[in-house]
Amino acid sequence: SGNVHEIPIYGKSSTEESILIFIKNQSDGIDQSDMNSILVPKLDIDPTHTLLVTVSGVNDGVENLAKHYGIHLISEPDFSQILSRVEEFVSDWYSENGGKK
């Protein structure tokens, strides 16, 4: 669209698969306004996959909103659990695509 977005991590493969990864941490938890800041670039760029990664809690309604827009939410209290969940996501994606990178 020509709009400029601040995205922590964006990747695109030679097969046109793309991923947006947002990392958000809020002391009072991830809320709807945090999700709105993710939805704008997600809808504009239309990546194949979108991840929201956080060690913060997730407020009511955020999980449903993420699910509705196809955002894979990884919310865990410590980084080792987050790494495990991200590895699981990548492994699942890799196996679903027949081992193609």
Side-chain angles (χ1 to χ4, degrees):
S1 71
N3 292 324
V4 176
H5 301 288
E6 287 189 29
I7 300 168
I9 301 172
Y10 174 73
K12 191 172 187 177
S13 73
S14 60
T15 60
E16 299 303 313
E17 290 277 327
S18 58
I19 188 167
L20 288 176
I21 302 175
F22 293 89
I23 302 164
K24 293 211 174 257
N25 293 307
Q26 306 289 352
S27 59
D28 55 350
I30 302 300
D31 62 20
Q32 189 126 7
S33 67
D34 296 309
M35 286 300 295
N36 290 341
S37 71
I38 291 169
L39 286 174
V40 171
K42 184 212 182 312
L43 295 172
D44 195 25
I45 295 169
D46 194 27
T48 310
H49 306 284
T50 304
L51 296 177
L52 168 56
V53 179
T54 185
V55 294
S56 303
V58 177
N59 296 345
D60 289 339
V62 170
E63 282 187 53
N64 288 337
L65 189 59
K67 190 174 189 175
H68 178 76
Y69 285 99
I71 298 170
H72 187 80
L73 178 62
I74 297 175
S75 174
E76 296 292 345
D78 70 60
F79 291 112
S80 63
Q81 290 175 324
I82 286 174
L83 288 174
S84 293
R85 297 265 317 272
V86 169
E87 287 173 356
E88 180 182 314
F89 175 84
V90 170
S91 177
D92 290 347
W93 173 83
Y94 191 73
S95 65
E96 288 174 7
N97 289 288
K100 298 177 200 167
K101 290 185 179 179

